[in-house]
Amino acid sequence: MQSNLDPGLNQHKYTPETSSLDVGALYNRYKNYAFSIAYRMLGTVTEAEDIVQDCFTGLHSMPKPDIHNPKSYIAKLIVNRCLNLLNSARNQREHYVGEWLPEPLGMHDMTNTPEEMMQQKEMISYAYLVMLERLSPMERAVFVLREAFEHDYSEIAGWLGKTESNCRQIYSRARRNLPEVLPVIEQVYADWKAKEEVLSRFTMAFLQHDVAAMLELLADTPVFTADGGGVVQTIMRTMRVHRGVLAILTSPRVLVSLREREWKPVCVNGELQLALMNEGQLSEVICLEMDAAGERINGVYLVVNPQKLVSVYPADGVT
């Protein structure tokens, strides 16, 4: 599976770099690569940015002769710092109020065209991030490095302090814990208009409590998850029963406040999604996971926790 990095950064084999260690130059060259790994590992924007900053700050104190391959060394630093953070945050995640969803990543410059927005190096579909939450920290590390960045098992083993055989076993275990058909990792421009139409139909069906229209949109086994983080009241548990998801999305007694919002398109993780505005302020984001054909909805993810909305930038006229 191809990563979203530029060709110069997406190589299976590395050419040793033994020139003087200019941390500023390395930061400019590898910051997107480093953030891409950290964001996929953590599912949070702020923590990923902190990990990247900490990594490059630490490089100032590294003995230059010991770093023969800066890109490989940066990947090792990022992955292991993310593993440490995930392991230390496990107790916090277990005590999180309600369901935990990844933090959506919006576009800072919404004047770009759809093609330009989807070429951003940080992009990974929201549905893919949600899927990664099923994995343990080590499974996630191996799977991300292998599947999203196509690194060799020998490289991954060296970074994680494991054998190649062990990394292959971890990858196999991770793959068994995931759906047979993985979500699309990144959207292509051909899907943009189709997704726009689905969002429009979903919005109308939701606002009008239209059961028939929502039935046409939902896949056979849809999922609904909301994340309020205990900060904002919302539905506390994931719904995986078709009848229950349909009821949540069409009942006049559930999610009432959402129907009072202004619904706007927004580019989240390289895809068109929905931003809900309350008196000009972003209050919720709805991310839809589409099936392989891009026609029916497999997942509805409602992010209400305001702490997870700071990286989303709603805009007019993104199409």
Side-chain angles (χ1 to χ4, degrees):
M1 184 175 295
Q2 293 296 318
S3 78
N4 221 14
L5 303 174
D6 66 53
L9 299 184
N10 190 25
Q11 302 294 326
H12 301 305
K13 301 294 184 180
Y14 299 128
T15 301
E17 302 175 34
T18 55
S19 57
S20 61
L21 190 64
D22 184 336
V23 176
L26 291 179
Y27 177 77
N28 290 330
R29 183 174 183 182
Y30 296 124
K31 62 180 178 181
N32 289 326
Y33 168 71
F35 177 82
S36 294
I37 295 176
Y39 182 49
R40 286 159 171 78
M41 283 290 297
L42 302 173
T44 59
V45 177
T46 303
E47 289 178 333
E49 291 174 340
D50 289 344
I51 288 284
V52 172
Q53 291 295 329
D54 187 47
C55 169
F56 284 97
T57 299
L59 284 176
H60 280 287
S61 60
M62 294 293 138
K64 294 180 182 180
D66 293 343
I67 304 177
H68 302 291
N69 189 326
K71 182 183 179 183
S72 179
Y73 191 79
I74 289 167
K76 178 179 179 180
L77 287 178
I78 293 291
V79 170
N80 282 284
R81 289 176 191 227
C82 287
L83 282 173
N84 290 338
L85 183 58
L86 286 173
N87 287 323
S88 65
R90 182 174 300 174
N91 184 62
Q92 179 181 349
R93 289 279 182 93
E94 289 175 351
H95 290 84
Y96 191 81
V97 178
E99 301 288 358
W100 194 97
L101 284 173
E103 181 180 349
L105 177 61
M107 301 302 301
H108 291 230
D109 184 3
M110 294 299 293
T111 62
N112 292 346
T113 65
E115 300 98 315
E116 291 171 333
M117 284 189 276
M118 286 182 290
Q119 290 171 0
Q120 296 294 315
K121 297 178 177 63
E122 299 91 345
M123 294 301 98
I124 177 175
S125 73
Y126 193 76
Y128 205 90
L129 275 178
V130 172
M131 179 197 71
L132 291 176
E133 291 300 317
R134 303 186 186 190
L135 304 178
S136 70
M138 185 58 69
E139 289 172 347
R140 189 162 179 161
V142 173
F143 185 83
V144 164
L145 292 171
R146 180 62 180 169
E147 191 78 7
F149 296 99
E150 299 183 314
H151 288 300
D152 294 338
Y153 283 113
S154 58
E155 295 170 337
I156 298 171
W159 295 339
L160 299 178
K162 297 185 178 296
T163 65
E164 287 188 47
S165 175
N166 193 205
C167 286
R168 291 179 186 275
Q169 292 173 355
I170 294 171
Y171 177 87
S172 296
R173 185 170 66 245
R175 191 62 187 85
R176 288 194 299 270
N177 291 331
L178 300 176
E180 182 177 349
V181 179
L182 300 179
V184 175
I185 193 170
E186 53 192 358
Q187 194 177 45
V188 298
Y189 179 59
D191 298 330
W192 193 269
K193 286 293 183 182
K195 183 64 175 293
E196 184 179 30
E197 180 182 352
V198 170
L199 291 176
S200 178
R201 291 170 59 198
F202 176 84
T203 300
M204 293 302 295
F206 183 89
L207 295 179
Q208 296 176 3
H209 316 286
D210 192 332
V211 175
M214 194 65 76
L215 274 171
E216 292 181 357
L217 284 169
L218 293 178
D220 294 336
T221 56
V223 173
F224 175 90
T225 302
D227 180 345
V231 180
V232 179
Q233 185 176 1
T234 189
I235 295 172
M236 295 289 289
R237 293 289 176 261
T238 293
M239 176 62 70
R240 293 185 171 86
V241 179
H242 188 283
R243 182 181 298 179
V245 174
L246 179 65
I248 287 172
L249 297 175
T250 58
S251 171
R253 296 183 297 275
V254 182
L255 301 176
V256 176
S257 62
L258 301 191
R259 293 184 173 88
E260 301 170 355
R261 309 290 193 237
E262 177 187 3
W263 292 46
K264 302 176 66 173
V266 63
C267 187
V268 170
N269 293 81
E271 307 170 283
L272 268 185
Q273 303 290 4
L274 292 165
L276 279 59
M277 311 296 294
N278 183 19
E279 298 181 350
Q281 299 297 316
L282 179 66
S283 56
E284 297 91 8
V285 166
I286 295 177
C287 295
L288 301 183
E289 175 186 351
M290 306 306 299
D291 64 10
E295 297 174 352
R296 304 185 73 189
I297 299 170
N298 283 331
V300 179
Y301 305 110
L302 171 63
V303 183
V304 185
N305 186 346
Q307 298 172 1
K308 293 187 176 181
L309 298 177
V310 294
S311 299
V312 180
Y313 293 81
D316 297 307
V318 297
T319 58

